[in-house]
Amino acid sequence: GALAPTPETYEQLAGETERLQRLVDDLQELSKLEAGYLPVHKQAVAIAPLVKKVSDRFADQLLGSTALTITLQCPPDLPLADGDPARIEQILVNLLSNALRHTSHGKISVRIYTENDVIWTAVSDTGTGISAEDLPHVFERFWRADRSRDRTSGGSGIGLAICKRLVERQKGQITAQSKLGSGSVFSFSLPIHSTV
């Protein structure tokens, strides 16, 4: 009798249930990663087509939008990366979802480049950005900057922690650069595949 049994109430309950299910799934995945139980199947990966496939999926969501665009910059003849295609896609989906969630207008760009013996993929946006005092905490579980405290955005606060573990399991690095009000750049590296 505390809540009226209306369609709106049921919709809110269903939404909260889905959010809790995502949180539980994310926690299980993070726990498995930290315990070394989540499999990572490394192989030679052509990174450009994989990144293009994921970027195109997000760009399709913006069809007809004049306020926000997604671009991809990729040099020709990239070497193969050493990684797990499914896990790389998972990282990209998380980074692009975050960029989209915090960028209402401007541009999201994905850039692939090589540096020494690694391939970097950088996702940058013109969104709300992260303050200097918050930036060191972005890869901590459950961390959320003040600008994203609204849980209705769908984030659990552990997506970037999962990304960090996934990148590290593939012998890569992940970094974050940002300035409040000026957007963010999240970059991750993967080793170049060696035939030796």
Side-chain angles (χ1 to χ4, degrees), residues 25 42 46 49 55 61 88 107 109 113 116 142 156-157 167 187:
D25 291 345
K42 291 177 72 175
S55 298
Q61 296 177 28
I88 296 167
K107 184 171 74 168
S109 62
Y113 60 97
N116 300 324
F142 300 117
S156 64
V167 170
S187 307

Side-chain angles (χ1 to χ4, degrees), residues 6 21 23 38 44-45 49 59-60 81-82 87 98 104 108 112 114 125 136 145 149 153 165-166 170 177-178 185:
T6 64
Q21 183 62 54
L23 178 59
L38 198 67
V45 181
D60 288 346
D82 195 24
R87 301 306 180 188
N98 283 351
S104 58
I108 295 170
I112 309 169
T114 57
D125 63 61
R149 292 281 180 204
S153 68
R165 301 309 185 284
L166 285 173
Q170 297 176 88
Q177 297 173 295
S178 190
V185 182

Side-chain angles (χ1 to χ4, degrees), residues 5 8 26 42 66 72 85 88 125 140-141 161 166 187 194:
E8 291 79 17
D26 286 350
K42 291 177 72 175
T66 56
L72 173 62
I88 296 167
D125 63 61
E140 295 174 8
R141 45 165 90 190
L166 285 173
S187 307
S194 172

Side-chain angles (χ1 to χ4, degrees), residues 19-155:
R19 187 183 67 77
L20 285 171
Q21 183 62 54
R22 284 194 305 268
L23 178 59
V24 169
D25 291 345
D26 286 350
L27 282 170
Q28 285 179 333
E29 185 163 39
L30 186 57
S31 295
K32 288 177 183 175
L33 272 169
E34 290 178 340
Y37 294 136
L38 198 67
V40 171
H41 305 291
K42 291 177 72 175
Q43 57 188 274
V45 181
I47 196 90
L50 180 60
V51 172
K52 183 176 184 335
K53 179 181 82 170
V54 176
S55 298
D56 286 350
R57 193 184 324 154
F58 280 85
D60 288 346
Q61 296 177 28
L62 300 176
L63 284 176
S65 171
T66 56
L68 186 60
T69 59
I70 296 179
T71 61
L72 173 62
Q73 303 167 37
C74 177
D77 304 323
L78 271 174
L80 296 174
D82 195 24
D84 182 330
R87 301 306 180 188
I88 296 167
E89 183 171 341
Q90 186 177 355
I91 294 162
L92 282 165
V93 165
N94 191 295
L95 295 181
L96 281 166
S97 294
N98 283 351
L100 214 59
R101 188 179 298 127
H102 300 294
T103 309
S104 58
H105 62 278
K107 184 171 74 168
I108 295 170
S109 62
V110 183
R111 184 168 77 96
I112 309 169
Y113 60 97
T114 57
E115 188 175 88
N116 300 324
D117 56 350
V118 298
I119 299 174
W120 285 92
T121 302
V123 176
S124 62
D125 63 61
T126 56
T128 52
I130 303 164
S131 68
E133 57 268 21
D134 286 333
L135 196 56
H137 306 289
V138 295
F139 296 110
E140 295 174 8
R141 45 165 90 190
F142 300 117
W143 178 87
R144 298 169 69 91
D146 288 340
R147 63 181 165 72
S148 61
R149 292 281 180 204
D150 181 8
R151 300 252 176 215
T152 60
S153 68

